Each structure stands twice: as structure tokens, then as C-alpha cells.
Amino acid sequence: QVQLVESGGGSVQAGGSLRLSCAASGRIFSNNAMGWFRQTPGKQRELVAGISSGGNTNYSDSVKGRFTISRGNAKNTVNLQMNSLKPEDTAVYYCNVGVWAGSYLPLNNWGQGTQVTVSS
């Protein structure tokens, strides 16, 4: 079983920045990938960005060039630097431990999520 704890959400005006962090613990393997998803009411959870154990990354088209995913210095941690935020980035953001198969594939483990609100 995997436990995930996200932090760093909050409220910001459009054009601002936020940095999300996630710490994972439990049954995690060295070759696991990590990723960030987001969800708004009435919509499916969508991938924002993923990173492999080797540092390969993929991003959704809507955040390319604005968001950067990175592995933290501590083991099994991942960060999401979000710049040039837009109101449409408003969502609950979730961390995930998954696998990498050319791109990020999630496994069924989710944290409590952290709210990001961007006002215009």
C-alpha cells in the first residue's frame, strides 16, 4: 500500500506561481514513476505531468511551458512548479505513484489532494 501526502496548494491571482510537493511512503519500488493529476467538479481526473525514475517527463498540452515536474531531494518526493497560472488551472491536485511506459501510467493510489484556486 502507498501513502501520499500533498502540500503547497492555495489561492493566487492569474499570472502567479505556486509550488506543490508530495511525499510518498509504503510499497514503492525504485523504478516507480510519480505524477500529478487534477480534477474539477463534474470532470474526470486528468494527468498534469509525470516523471520517470530516470527523469523523463511528460506534460498535458494545457500546462506545457508553464509547469515543471521534478523529483525532490528526499526519496519518493515529487514537486510541481506552476508558473503563469490561469483561472482554468483551478482544481484539486493529486499526487500519484505509477509506472513509466514511454509516458506516465497511474496506479491506483491517491492522496487527499490539495486545492489550487486561481482568480482572474
Side-chain angles (χ1 to χ4, degrees):
Q1 203 167 2
V2 174
Q3 294 79 42
L4 297 156
V5 178
E6 302 101 337
S7 61
S11 297
V12 66
Q13 288 194 323
S17 298
L18 284 173
R19 183 177 177 87
L20 305 183
S21 295
C22 171
S25 60
R27 190 174 172 82
I28 300 169
F29 300 98
S30 59
N31 61 347
N32 272 128
M34 295 187 75
W36 286 96
F37 286 73
R38 65 187 181 189
Q39 188 171 24
T40 54
K43 291 190 176 181
Q44 279 193 327
R45 198 168 293 184
E46 63 171 0
L47 175 69
V48 175
I51 185 167
S52 73
S53 58
N56 295 310
T57 59
N58 70 297
Y59 296 89
S60 84
D61 288 343
S62 62
V63 307
K64 274 181 188 174
R66 300 187 298 122
F67 290 12
T68 303
I69 189 170
S70 61
R71 293 276 197 174
N73 291 329
K75 193 177 178 182
N76 298 328
T77 60
V78 65
N79 302 309
L80 185 68
Q81 178 66 42
M82 305 186 294
N83 298 329
S84 303
L85 282 160
K86 304 176 180 179
E88 51 263 43
D89 294 318
T90 296
V92 178
Y93 283 70
Y94 297 91
C95 181
N96 180 268
V97 171
V99 296
W100 191 265
S103 62
Y104 188 83
L105 298 177
L107 297 174
N108 190 25
N109 54 78
W110 304 97
Q112 81 286 353
T114 185
Q115 176 71 46
V116 170
T117 302
V118 184
S119 57
S120 57

